[in-house]
């Protein structure tokens, strides 16, 4: 597994040559009204409100003088790399990659303005070949995207079962590669998220544990938004607009589930019924819930998400994935509570 010190050099080298989805263009000059000329968004194929915003083109309507560039990424680690390169303004990354991003040696200058979802049954550890529990993975080949929430959850599940990393062969693969390796018979198990998870479950995969179950046992994971500090400071109104559209998507998912599922289905190339099923596996939070003590909190009282990220950093330190555990205040400052409050002054 990659060590953290050389990882930073690798990330910087990758960032300099990053061409993922054409997102590497430098930031253009602001529009005449002061809005950004371009808003570069890194999204993932996860059935949450972000795909609704993308499908409905709400940002394009709300920011008519801004070019919205949507770039698809397969993991939060790739999003971190793109932010380091200055190629993204806002992106989606799991709580584990964000923990690494806010920790040394990365120390990425970004903050968390929104929780896309609390991960539930849409991330899970699946196996085949007669394996029916986590202990049965000893000596098996298990794939997961390194530095992702799935990676964090896999290590937590192994630890619970009394297994160390050396007891299994952990392979670093992106979700599409995991699905291909599964079809070829190259791996015995995988911890991954939908929609690839659903394909593994349909093709002989037995679910051993889900992220919802691990969260109930104290290992909560989530999909988080990250925004570059520089962008948040320079374009606060644009960030507020982005936040308002995300809240709008959550409210649509609650008030009109058919419309929300249809939008997500179009983005994932799924029929609405399957899109609705996958959407139901996540916990979505509206702006009021985001500002509660349980999650992001307020400027005067940062929420428990900071404590969760700090706990994740402690775990990652034991796994030699971060150089040191930052003070809790680092994660509290990493929550964009003021920006969230400014976007919803009446809440």
């Amino acid at each position: 597994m990659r060590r953290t010190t050389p990882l930073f050099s690798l990330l910087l080298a990758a960032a300099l040559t990053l061409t993922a989805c054409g997102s590497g263009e430098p930031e253009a000059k602001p529009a005449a009204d002061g809005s950004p000329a371009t808003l570069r968004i890194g999204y993932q194929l996860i059935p949450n409100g972000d795909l609704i915003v993308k499908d409905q083109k709400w940002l394009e309507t709300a920011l008519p003088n801004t070019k919205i560039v949507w770039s698809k990424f397969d993991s939060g680690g790739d999003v971190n790399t793109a932010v380091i390169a200055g190629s993204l303004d806002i992106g989606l990354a799991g709580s584990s990659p964000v923990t690494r991003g806010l920790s040394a040696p990365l120390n990425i200058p970004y903050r968390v303005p929104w929780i896309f979802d609390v991960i539930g049954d849409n991330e899970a550890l699946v196996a085949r070949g007669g394996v029916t529990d986590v202990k049965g993975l000893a000596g098996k080949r298990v794939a997961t995207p390194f530095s992702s929430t799935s990676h964090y959850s896999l290590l937590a599940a192994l630890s619970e079962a009394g297994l160390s990393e050396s007891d299994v062969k952990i392979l670093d693969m992106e979700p599409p590669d995991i699905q291909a390796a599964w079809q070829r018979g190259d791996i015995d198990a995988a911890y991954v998220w939908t929609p690839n998870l659903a394909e593994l479950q349909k093709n002989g995969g037995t679910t051993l544990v889900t992220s919802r179950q691990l969260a109930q046992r104290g290992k909560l994971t989530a999909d988080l938004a990250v925004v570059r500090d520089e962008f948040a400071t320079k374009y606060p109104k644009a960030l507020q607009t982005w936040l308002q559209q995300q809240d709008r998507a959550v409210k649509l998912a609650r008030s009109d589930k058919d419309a929300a599922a249809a939008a997500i289905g179009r983005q994932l190339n799924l029929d609405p019924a399957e899109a609705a099923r996958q959407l139901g596996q996540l916990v979505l939070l509206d702006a009021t819930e985001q500002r509660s003590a349980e999650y992001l909190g307020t400027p005067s009282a940062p929420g428990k998400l900071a404590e969760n990220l700090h706990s994740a950093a402690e775990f990652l330190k034991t796994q030699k994935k971060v150089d040191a555990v930052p003070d809790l205040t680092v994660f509290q400052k990493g929550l964009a509570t003021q920006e969230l409050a400014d976007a919803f002054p009446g809440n």
Side-chain angles (χ1 to χ4, degrees):
M1 301 180 75
R2 300 177 189 135
R3 293 291 180 255
T4 53
T5 300
L7 173 62
F8 184 53
S9 298
L10 289 172
L11 281 171
L12 286 175
L16 293 174
T17 57
L18 183 69
T19 57
C21 309
S23 62
E25 297 179 3
E27 182 181 358
K29 293 182 179 180
D33 64 354
S35 60
T38 305
L39 172 53
R40 303 163 299 174
I41 300 172
Y43 75 101
Q44 295 190 49
L45 296 180
I46 297 173
N48 57 31
D50 203 30
L51 291 187
I52 297 174
V53 173
K54 179 177 183 292
D55 182 80
Q56 298 296 296
K57 298 186 182 301
W58 287 340
L59 280 171
E60 287 81 352
T61 301
L63 295 170
N65 296 319
T66 299
K67 178 182 178 182
I68 310 298
V69 178
W70 294 86
S71 300
K72 183 174 74 67
F73 290 82
D74 289 325
S75 70
D78 290 342
V79 169
N80 277 347
T81 302
V83 175
I84 290 171
S87 301
L88 286 180
D89 300 310
I90 298 174
L92 183 157
S95 48
S96 182
V98 172
T99 297
R100 289 173 63 98
L102 292 172
S103 304
L106 298 185
N107 298 315
I108 300 175
Y110 62 28
R111 60 193 85 166
V112 179
W114 189 255
I115 301 172
F116 285 114
D117 58 78
V118 176
I119 298 172
D121 299 321
N122 66 304
E123 280 193 30
L125 175 60
V126 296
R128 58 182 172 188
V131 177
T132 58
D133 58 28
V134 179
K135 288 184 178 180
L137 293 176
K140 302 295 186 181
R141 299 160 297 177
V142 186
T144 196
F146 279 14
S147 303
S148 67
T149 51
S150 284
H151 188 197
Y152 171 83
S153 296
L154 171 62
L155 297 179
L158 292 175
S159 179
E160 275 191 355
L163 297 177
S164 66
E165 291 183 51
S166 61
D167 291 325
V168 300
K169 185 175 182 180
I170 302 178
L171 304 173
D172 181 10
M173 293 185 183
E174 296 299 325
D177 299 324
I178 288 175
Q179 186 175 331
W182 183 274
Q183 292 171 342
R184 294 192 303 267
D186 292 345
I187 56 176
D188 305 299
Y191 208 123
V192 71
W193 53 85
T194 54
N196 301 91
L197 171 64
E199 293 302 313
L200 270 56
Q201 290 170 325
K202 289 192 296 186
N203 289 280
T206 297
T207 301
L208 306 184
V209 66
T210 70
S211 293
R212 185 187 300 274
Q213 293 169 325
L214 289 173
Q216 292 169 348
R217 303 199 284 265
K219 297 297 182 182
L220 181 144
T221 51
D223 290 314
L224 308 176
V226 291
V227 58
R228 286 190 303 116
D229 288 348
E230 182 181 3
F231 183 89
T233 300
K234 189 174 182 180
Y235 301 111
K237 295 296 184 182
L239 179 57
Q240 290 172 24
T241 298
W242 182 89
L243 286 164
Q244 290 160 0
Q245 303 314 306
Q246 292 294 332
D247 183 59
R248 181 181 177 186
V250 172
K251 287 180 166 56
L252 179 67
R254 294 177 175 178
S255 64
D256 193 340
K257 293 181 179 179
D258 289 342
I264 289 172
R266 284 190 292 269
Q267 293 298 309
L268 296 179
N269 195 27
L270 296 174
D271 66 74
E274 175 60 18
R277 186 189 72 82
Q278 293 188 17
L279 175 62
Q281 294 178 325
L282 295 167
V283 178
L284 304 186
L285 307 168
D286 64 19
T288 300
E289 293 163 328
Q290 299 262 348
R291 296 186 63 197
S292 71
E294 192 69 22
Y295 298 108
L296 285 167
T298 65
S300 60
K304 288 185 180 179
L305 178 62
E307 297 173 20
N308 180 263
L309 295 176
H310 185 258
S311 176
E314 291 177 329
F315 182 83
L316 291 171
K317 178 64 170 62
T318 68
Q319 300 297 318
K320 297 183 173 63
K321 303 302 181 293
V322 297
D323 286 353
V325 178
D327 189 81
L328 175 62
T329 57
V330 171
F331 298 108
Q332 291 174 331
K333 292 177 181 177
L335 305 185
T337 53
Q338 186 62 59
E339 289 81 355
L340 184 59
D342 290 343
F344 303 97
N347 288 10

